[in-house]
Amino acid sequence: MTTLRRWLYNLFFYGLSVPIVLFAPIAAWFGRKTIQRYAVGWMRLQRRLVWILGIRNRIEGGGAVGYPVIYASKHQSMYETLELTAMLDGPAVVLKQELADIPFWGGAARGYGAIVVNREASAQALRSMMREGKAAVAEGRSILIFPEGTRVEPGTMPPLKPGMAGLYRMLGLPVVPIAMDSGVVCSRSGPARPGVVTFRFGDPIPPGLPREEIEARVFAGINALEMERDGGDRRALSGAGTR
């Protein structure tokens, strides 16, 4: 039954996604707002179809806020990339360069206003991220960043990359940490299986805190579910710094 669920989901999701992505450049002709609504509509397609896989969401905490903030999220699968973008109503998402280079999809992501970062060019990448972040905030948008820099396995808590703290300092926005456990049902190394994905929204962290404090609070916030499973083991806190 699980195999059948995956086949049906892939048939509908990718069968519908391909024409949607191919027509994205046309939507982009009508302006930034149009391509943003178009992109969020595509991302909500996942939400409408994941019932086939037997996956559902559980939201804990305050959820999305009604003003521009930096959402800093745990990252365990591609599931939350789409789900959070739809859930947060189209924030500017910080993406790695490799994704933006995908034909058609990359162009649509840039038109949508994604913040593209070249992880190999650290200083230049940070300057570009700050510039594009300021542009997004000027449009009244929030920013979604995965401060660990890449997808990680459930139970792992790597140190944060420096980009989140840089955005926090330069933009002067609150940060809302998001803990989630999508990797339990959507593993990087295996097929998706039925289950519940928990999204736990932390309280907004005010702007203006020292770097060490904001990094420690975001680290604790995005790893809240991992720490609960770990029983609050002090070793979990060893990754609070950046690398």
Side-chain angles (χ1 to χ4, degrees):
M1 181 59 72
T2 301
T3 301
L4 177 60
R5 286 174 183 264
R6 290 198 302 269
W7 276 102
L8 286 174
Y9 173 81
N10 289 339
L11 175 65
F12 285 106
F13 180 76
Y14 292 105
L16 293 171
S17 293
V18 168
I20 289 173
V21 172
L22 290 177
F23 279 99
I26 297 176
W29 290 345
F30 295 93
R32 178 66 60 84
K33 292 295 184 182
T34 299
I35 188 61
Q36 287 172 4
R37 290 194 296 268
Y38 186 89
V40 170
W42 169 61
M43 293 170 189
R44 286 175 177 159
L45 175 66
Q46 173 181 260
R47 181 179 296 175
R48 298 186 182 101
L49 294 175
V50 291
W51 64 268
I52 297 174
L53 295 171
I55 296 173
R56 60 186 179 88
N57 293 337
R58 177 170 56 224
I59 311 299
E60 299 180 354
V65 299
Y67 50 88
V69 297
I70 300 171
Y71 291 101
S73 176
K74 191 74 178 174
H75 193 20
Q76 295 182 346
S77 75
M78 286 301 296
Y79 180 80
E80 63 271 8
T81 306
L82 300 184
E83 184 63 26
L84 282 174
T85 304
M87 189 185 299
L88 303 175
D89 199 28
V93 185
V94 180
L95 296 176
K96 59 185 178 181
Q97 181 74 48
E98 295 90 328
L99 293 176
D101 290 340
I102 298 174
F104 290 100
W105 192 92
R110 292 180 184 276
Y112 165 81
I115 300 172
V116 180
V117 178
N118 182 347
R119 294 184 295 184
E120 301 301 320
S122 56
Q124 182 180 351
L126 284 173
R127 286 194 296 270
S128 176
M129 184 166 62
M130 303 308 165
R131 182 173 60 251
E132 294 178 12
K134 288 180 179 179
V137 173
E139 294 177 357
R141 303 174 72 192
S142 291
I143 294 171
L144 172 60
I145 187 170
F146 300 101
E148 292 163 319
T150 189
R151 290 174 291 171
V152 300
E153 295 290 342
T156 59
M157 293 171 277
L160 309 184
K161 298 290 187 179
M164 186 280 303
L167 279 174
Y168 172 80
R169 179 175 61 85
M170 293 295 295
L171 300 181
L173 293 177
V175 179
V176 175
I178 305 173
M180 37 72 53
D181 56 1
S182 65
V184 175
V185 297
C186 301
S187 172
R188 291 183 62 181
S189 56
R193 60 179 183 269
V196 177
V197 177
T198 298
F199 291 88
R200 179 179 295 175
F201 287 77
D203 294 330
I205 303 170
L209 298 178
R211 175 172 176 171
E212 182 176 330
E213 182 176 353
I214 186 61
E215 287 177 343
R217 291 179 66 171
V218 169
F219 179 87
I222 69 173
N223 287 298
L225 297 176
E226 310 300 326
M227 292 179 181
E228 284 183 4
R229 294 191 191 93
D230 197 47
D233 192 323
R234 291 186 178 180
R235 289 174 298 174
L237 299 176
S238 63
T242 59
R243 58 179 174 185

